[in-house]
Every structure is written in structure tokens, then in C-alpha cells.
Amino acid sequence: MSDLEYPYADHPAAGTTREIHPGVRWLTMPMGGGSLNHINLYLLEDTDGWWVVDTGLSLDEVAALWDQVFQTELGGKSIKAVLCTHFHPDHIGQARMISDRFRVPLYMTHGEYYQARAFAGSGPGSDSNAWQSEQFFRRAGMSTEVLLGMRQAWTQRRNDGMQMPKLPEGYVRLRHGDELRIGQLRWRVVVGSGHSPEHACLLSYQAGLLLSGDQILPVITSNVSVHASEPEANPLKDWMDSLDRLLDLPEDLLVLPAHNLPFRGVRSRLRDLIDHHEERMATITHACQEPHTAFELLPVLFKRKLDPRQSMMAMGEAIAHAHLLMHRNRLTRELGEDDRFRFRSVGAAHDDSAFDQSPLHE
């Protein structure tokens, strides 16, 4: 990984904020156990109130911390608006609470708002009894035993606040290129895709800041997966195209991500992310000299032992890489008599007529 510059050594204490730039404050909310135990949220000061950027999980602990922030960190001003970068539960979990409490609008892109509305009250794997989900996991090569463990793991995760919460009944639509004037700063909406449908970042050339959400993270790589709800999707193509467009960003921006610490070196990080996925695709291409299901690719891509929830996410990523390789004509895919998809490197297939080479929807 390229060297990045981290101006801050630690996160703000729970229930407090830290000024990053005049009118821009950073706070952190807990996400329970596991390696990803926090989310970074931001407050933008307007002349007549504050904008909340992302909200944390729908947990009582998070709601109580927000109450502390409202009472001690706003300098006598109220909340003016809520803006969510994308629809994942750790970003929208408290959006309705804040919107209802202050009677203020929610800002999101069209794709993110309606994806959240479609999945409200659910979570990944929560509808795994539907025939489409059953077929998706079976064709990926997942055993009944692993699928059962996955269902149990996601049930626990929903109890930990990872269920999809309900959003306000209306929203204000954000589009790529929109400009928001908040206090003395202008923020341009920059939309990416792949991790989620229409992820909104906020860019201020004036302040030299990018609120990147999950689109650019300095340490971890955002999950880019194919899901049962859209089994022929090609999200990694969208992701790689988005990263390529973001390479036009100024290198000296201070990036304010949703996880890990703020950093400088955005172009270096983007190149690292692109290289990471290219290396994974090279690994898959080499492994698929012999046919593999997506599930059989997991030990090829991940050397550590995966629990059932991690296996589901890893499998979605493996399929995403395989679908982009199909798009690039480097893999073919065969549906076997056992109703399992197997991927094979182009040139390694013994009988090309047996392979499904229909184009993937983009």
C-alpha cells in the first residue's frame, strides 16, 4: 500500500466532536464488536443550523450519543438537514430519528433512497428462503450447512443494529454535479457506484476536503458484491469505472472517510484499490484453469478462515470479480447438471459450446 498521511492520531471521544475545518466537525459512533467497530460521521455548519452527514446504526446506544451531541456540540444551533451518502444500515440507521426530531429533510440520491425503502426492515440474507435466493446461493456452490449458518449469523447481525431501518417518507434528491452551499463552503456532489448504487461523496475545493463515505477508505477495501436480488449484476465494473473517474481529484485533499482515520494521498489510495482488484482478478483467472464455483474460489482469495457471514460477503465479492472477468472475455461460465455455475479461464475450456457466454447486465 502506498504511504498515506494521517493528520490525526485518534478518533474523537464518544459523544464529542472535533473541528476539521471551520464549519466542519467530525464525530465517531460505535458499531458493536468485530474488526469494524466504528463509523465516522460529520457535521457541516450552515448559517441557521447544522447538516448531519451519515447517522450511525439504529441502536439505542447510538441514539443516546446523538442526544449528547445535540445538547453539547451544536453551539446553540439546531439541526437543519440530514444527508446520507448511501443506504447501508450504519449510514442511515438514525436518519429517521433525526429527521423526525427536528422536522428536517433527508438528502440522498435516488438509487440509494429507494434501495433503502425496498429493503426496509430486512438485512443481507434475511430473505434467504425465497426461491431466488436459494437458487443464487446453490448456483454459487454454497452448501445447505453453510447457508444455514449464514442465516443464523445475519439474524444476529440484525439484532446488533444491521437491519435496514425505515427512512422518512420523503427525501430531497441529490444528483452528480449538484452544488450545496452550506455556510461559507460550497460542496459538489460526486456520485460513485459499485459498493452501492449511487453513493454520494461531498467535495469542497475551497476547504480542500472530500467526505468520501465508503467510496474511498484508507485501510479497508469496501465490499463490492453480487447479491441474490440482482444475480447478473456487474458491480465491480461500476466500482472500477468510479475509481478511475475519481483519479482526477486533487492529490492534496484531506479525505474524511466513513471508517478508519482521515488521510491525504487520495490518488495513491485509488491506485492501490485498483491494483488490489486487478490482482484478485489475475488470481481468479489463474485458478480457473480448472473450473471453480464461486464458493470454491474463497480459499483462493482469502487465506484466513471465514465464518458463515464472512463467507457470504466473500462469495459475493468472488462473483463480482468473476462477472467483470466475463465482461472482459477472460472467463466463461457453465451451468452444470448439478445446477452449479462454474467459471473457467478463456482458452482453458474443453468445449466452448457448453458455456454460458450471454452478456451480463450492466
Side-chain angles (χ1 to χ4, degrees), residues 64-81:
L65 287 170
W66 268 121
D67 189 61
Q68 183 176 332
V69 169
F70 297 150
Q71 294 184 43
T72 64
E73 299 292 319
L74 302 185
K77 291 185 177 179
S78 185
I79 298 298
K80 179 177 180 178

PDB file of all heavy atoms in Angstrom, residues 64-81:
ATOM      1  N   ALA A  64     -28.518   7.589  22.017  1.00  0.00           N
ATOM      2  CA  ALA A  64     -28.162   8.316  23.243  1.00  0.00           C
ATOM      3  C   ALA A  64     -26.949   9.219  23.017  1.00  0.00           C
ATOM      4  O   ALA A  64     -26.895  10.347  23.526  1.00  0.00           O
ATOM      5  CB  ALA A  64     -27.884   7.324  24.362  1.00  0.00           C
ATOM      6  N   LEU A  65     -25.978   8.755  22.251  1.00  0.00           N
ATOM      7  CA  LEU A  65     -24.811   9.581  21.942  1.00  0.00           C
ATOM      8  C   LEU A  65     -25.193  10.774  21.080  1.00  0.00           C
ATOM      9  O   LEU A  65     -24.668  11.885  21.257  1.00  0.00           O
ATOM     10  CB  LEU A  65     -23.738   8.734  21.271  1.00  0.00           C
ATOM     11  CG  LEU A  65     -22.991   7.769  22.181  1.00  0.00           C
ATOM     12  CD1 LEU A  65     -22.132   6.815  21.368  1.00  0.00           C
ATOM     13  CD2 LEU A  65     -22.131   8.536  23.190  1.00  0.00           C
ATOM     14  N   TRP A  66     -26.116  10.560  20.133  1.00  0.00           N
ATOM     15  CA  TRP A  66     -26.601  11.697  19.345  1.00  0.00           C
ATOM     16  C   TRP A  66     -27.264  12.731  20.258  1.00  0.00           C
ATOM     17  O   TRP A  66     -27.087  13.940  20.067  1.00  0.00           O
ATOM     18  CB  TRP A  66     -27.588  11.232  18.283  1.00  0.00           C
ATOM     19  CG  TRP A  66     -26.968  10.926  16.951  1.00  0.00           C
ATOM     20  CD1 TRP A  66     -26.984   9.749  16.269  1.00  0.00           C
ATOM     21  CD2 TRP A  66     -26.250  11.847  16.107  1.00  0.00           C
ATOM     22  NE1 TRP A  66     -26.312   9.864  15.082  1.00  0.00           N
ATOM     23  CE2 TRP A  66     -25.860  11.141  14.947  1.00  0.00           C
ATOM     24  CE3 TRP A  66     -25.895  13.187  16.231  1.00  0.00           C
ATOM     25  CZ2 TRP A  66     -25.134  11.744  13.915  1.00  0.00           C
ATOM     26  CZ3 TRP A  66     -25.175  13.787  15.206  1.00  0.00           C
ATOM     27  CH2 TRP A  66     -24.805  13.070  14.065  1.00  0.00           C
ATOM     28  N   ASP A  67     -28.022  12.279  21.226  1.00  0.00           N
ATOM     29  CA  ASP A  67     -28.667  13.219  22.148  1.00  0.00           C
ATOM     30  C   ASP A  67     -27.623  14.045  22.884  1.00  0.00           C
ATOM     31  O   ASP A  67     -27.797  15.262  23.072  1.00  0.00           O
ATOM     32  CB  ASP A  67     -29.534  12.441  23.141  1.00  0.00           C
ATOM     33  CG  ASP A  67     -30.399  13.356  23.976  1.00  0.00           C
ATOM     34  OD1 ASP A  67     -31.237  14.085  23.412  1.00  0.00           O
ATOM     35  OD2 ASP A  67     -30.224  13.363  25.212  1.00  0.00           O
ATOM     36  N   GLN A  68     -26.528  13.417  23.267  1.00  0.00           N
ATOM     37  CA  GLN A  68     -25.437  14.140  23.918  1.00  0.00           C
ATOM     38  C   GLN A  68     -24.825  15.168  22.973  1.00  0.00           C
ATOM     39  O   GLN A  68     -24.547  16.310  23.378  1.00  0.00           O
ATOM     40  CB  GLN A  68     -24.370  13.137  24.375  1.00  0.00           C
ATOM     41  CG  GLN A  68     -23.203  13.763  25.132  1.00  0.00           C
ATOM     42  CD  GLN A  68     -22.233  12.715  25.642  1.00  0.00           C
ATOM     43  OE1 GLN A  68     -22.610  11.571  25.916  1.00  0.00           O
ATOM     44  NE2 GLN A  68     -20.969  13.094  25.778  1.00  0.00           N
ATOM     45  N   VAL A  69     -24.622  14.779  21.729  1.00  0.00           N
ATOM     46  CA  VAL A  69     -24.072  15.718  20.735  1.00  0.00           C
ATOM     47  C   VAL A  69     -25.016  16.904  20.552  1.00  0.00           C
ATOM     48  O   VAL A  69     -24.581  18.066  20.514  1.00  0.00           O
ATOM     49  CB  VAL A  69     -23.825  14.998  19.394  1.00  0.00           C
ATOM     50  CG1 VAL A  69     -23.521  16.006  18.278  1.00  0.00           C
ATOM     51  CG2 VAL A  69     -22.680  14.002  19.528  1.00  0.00           C
ATOM     52  N   PHE A  70     -26.312  16.631  20.438  1.00  0.00           N
ATOM     53  CA  PHE A  70     -27.280  17.717  20.247  1.00  0.00           C
ATOM     54  C   PHE A  70     -27.234  18.718  21.402  1.00  0.00           C
ATOM     55  O   PHE A  70     -27.388  19.923  21.194  1.00  0.00           O
ATOM     56  CB  PHE A  70     -28.693  17.150  20.122  1.00  0.00           C
ATOM     57  CG  PHE A  70     -28.906  16.246  18.933  1.00  0.00           C
ATOM     58  CD1 PHE A  70     -29.825  15.211  18.987  1.00  0.00           C
ATOM     59  CD2 PHE A  70     -28.195  16.430  17.762  1.00  0.00           C
ATOM     60  CE1 PHE A  70     -30.039  14.382  17.910  1.00  0.00           C
ATOM     61  CE2 PHE A  70     -28.392  15.593  16.667  1.00  0.00           C
ATOM     62  CZ  PHE A  70     -29.319  14.564  16.742  1.00  0.00           C
ATOM     63  N   GLN A  71     -27.013  18.218  22.596  1.00  0.00           N
ATOM     64  CA  GLN A  71     -27.052  19.092  23.769  1.00  0.00           C
ATOM     65  C   GLN A  71     -25.752  19.864  23.990  1.00  0.00           C
ATOM     66  O   GLN A  71     -25.786  20.968  24.547  1.00  0.00           O
ATOM     67  CB  GLN A  71     -27.362  18.252  25.010  1.00  0.00           C
ATOM     68  CG  GLN A  71     -28.764  17.640  25.015  1.00  0.00           C
ATOM     69  CD  GLN A  71     -29.066  16.899  26.297  1.00  0.00           C
ATOM     70  OE1 GLN A  71     -28.748  17.380  27.382  1.00  0.00           O
ATOM     71  NE2 GLN A  71     -29.662  15.725  26.192  1.00  0.00           N
ATOM     72  N   THR A  72     -24.615  19.307  23.546  1.00  0.00           N
ATOM     73  CA  THR A  72     -23.330  19.903  23.945  1.00  0.00           C
ATOM     74  C   THR A  72     -22.446  20.372  22.800  1.00  0.00           C
ATOM     75  O   THR A  72     -21.483  21.110  23.046  1.00  0.00           O
ATOM     76  CB  THR A  72     -22.524  18.884  24.784  1.00  0.00           C
ATOM     77  OG1 THR A  72     -22.209  17.740  23.972  1.00  0.00           O
ATOM     78  CG2 THR A  72     -23.306  18.450  26.014  1.00  0.00           C
ATOM     79  N   GLU A  73     -22.733  19.982  21.546  1.00  0.00           N
ATOM     80  CA  GLU A  73     -21.769  20.202  20.475  1.00  0.00           C
ATOM     81  C   GLU A  73     -22.246  21.141  19.368  1.00  0.00           C
ATOM     82  O   GLU A  73     -21.496  21.387  18.409  1.00  0.00           O
ATOM     83  CB  GLU A  73     -21.379  18.852  19.844  1.00  0.00           C
ATOM     84  CG  GLU A  73     -20.732  17.871  20.804  1.00  0.00           C
ATOM     85  CD  GLU A  73     -19.352  18.315  21.257  1.00  0.00           C
ATOM     86  OE1 GLU A  73     -18.577  18.825  20.419  1.00  0.00           O
ATOM     87  OE2 GLU A  73     -19.047  18.168  22.463  1.00  0.00           O
ATOM     88  N   LEU A  74     -23.442  21.657  19.444  1.00  0.00           N
ATOM     89  CA  LEU A  74     -24.001  22.423  18.327  1.00  0.00           C
ATOM     90  C   LEU A  74     -23.923  23.927  18.524  1.00  0.00           C
ATOM     91  O   LEU A  74     -24.395  24.684  17.656  1.00  0.00           O
ATOM     92  CB  LEU A  74     -25.457  22.003  18.081  1.00  0.00           C
ATOM     93  CG  LEU A  74     -25.692  20.514  17.787  1.00  0.00           C
ATOM     94  CD1 LEU A  74     -27.163  20.275  17.439  1.00  0.00           C
ATOM     95  CD2 LEU A  74     -24.783  20.009  16.677  1.00  0.00           C
ATOM     96  N   GLY A  75     -23.388  24.386  19.627  1.00  0.00           N
ATOM     97  CA  GLY A  75     -23.218  25.820  19.841  1.00  0.00           C
ATOM     98  C   GLY A  75     -24.516  26.603  19.824  1.00  0.00           C
ATOM     99  O   GLY A  75     -24.548  27.758  19.373  1.00  0.00           O
ATOM    100  N   GLY A  76     -25.593  26.006  20.309  1.00  0.00           N
ATOM    101  CA  GLY A  76     -26.876  26.700  20.365  1.00  0.00           C
ATOM    102  C   GLY A  76     -27.700  26.626  19.100  1.00  0.00           C
ATOM    103  O   GLY A  76     -28.844  27.087  19.077  1.00  0.00           O
ATOM    104  N   LYS A  77     -27.152  26.045  18.031  1.00  0.00           N
ATOM    105  CA  LYS A  77     -27.920  25.889  16.791  1.00  0.00           C
ATOM    106  C   LYS A  77     -28.643  24.550  16.772  1.00  0.00           C
ATOM    107  O   LYS A  77     -28.327  23.644  17.534  1.00  0.00           O
ATOM    108  CB  LYS A  77     -26.989  25.995  15.580  1.00  0.00           C
ATOM    109  CG  LYS A  77     -26.413  27.383  15.337  1.00  0.00           C
ATOM    110  CD  LYS A  77     -25.606  27.405  14.039  1.00  0.00           C
ATOM    111  CE  LYS A  77     -25.075  28.800  13.739  1.00  0.00           C
ATOM    112  NZ  LYS A  77     -24.272  28.841  12.480  1.00  0.00           N
ATOM    113  N   SER A  78     -29.596  24.436  15.860  1.00  0.00           N
ATOM    114  CA  SER A  78     -30.363  23.212  15.695  1.00  0.00           C
ATOM    115  C   SER A  78     -29.821  22.425  14.496  1.00  0.00           C
ATOM    116  O   SER A  78     -28.877  22.843  13.827  1.00  0.00           O
ATOM    117  CB  SER A  78     -31.836  23.544  15.492  1.00  0.00           C
ATOM    118  OG  SER A  78     -32.609  22.361  15.454  1.00  0.00           O
ATOM    119  N   ILE A  79     -30.437  21.285  14.231  1.00  0.00           N
ATOM    120  CA  ILE A  79     -30.137  20.506  13.021  1.00  0.00           C
ATOM    121  C   ILE A  79     -31.012  21.022  11.887  1.00  0.00           C
ATOM    122  O   ILE A  79     -32.218  21.241  12.057  1.00  0.00           O
ATOM    123  CB  ILE A  79     -30.388  18.999  13.260  1.00  0.00           C
ATOM    124  CG1 ILE A  79     -29.465  18.475  14.356  1.00  0.00           C
ATOM    125  CG2 ILE A  79     -30.198  18.217  11.969  1.00  0.00           C
ATOM    126  CD1 ILE A  79     -27.991  18.581  14.040  1.00  0.00           C
ATOM    127  N   LYS A  80     -30.414  21.213  10.734  1.00  0.00           N
ATOM    128  CA  LYS A  80     -31.117  21.768   9.575  1.00  0.00           C
ATOM    129  C   LYS A  80     -31.445  20.710   8.525  1.00  0.00           C
ATOM    130  O   LYS A  80     -32.452  20.822   7.810  1.00  0.00           O
ATOM    131  CB  LYS A  80     -30.252  22.848   8.945  1.00  0.00           C
ATOM    132  CG  LYS A  80     -30.850  23.479   7.714  1.00  0.00           C
ATOM    133  CD  LYS A  80     -29.976  24.593   7.164  1.00  0.00           C
ATOM    134  CE  LYS A  80     -30.595  25.213   5.915  1.00  0.00           C
ATOM    135  NZ  LYS A  80     -29.764  26.342   5.403  1.00  0.00           N
ATOM    136  N   ALA A  81     -30.600  19.679   8.373  1.00  0.00           N
ATOM    137  CA  ALA A  81     -30.800  18.667   7.339  1.00  0.00           C
ATOM    138  C   ALA A  81     -29.993  17.431   7.677  1.00  0.00           C
ATOM    139  O   ALA A  81     -29.013  17.489   8.433  1.00  0.00           O
ATOM    140  CB  ALA A  81     -30.389  19.203   5.966  1.00  0.00           C
TER     141      ALA A  81
END
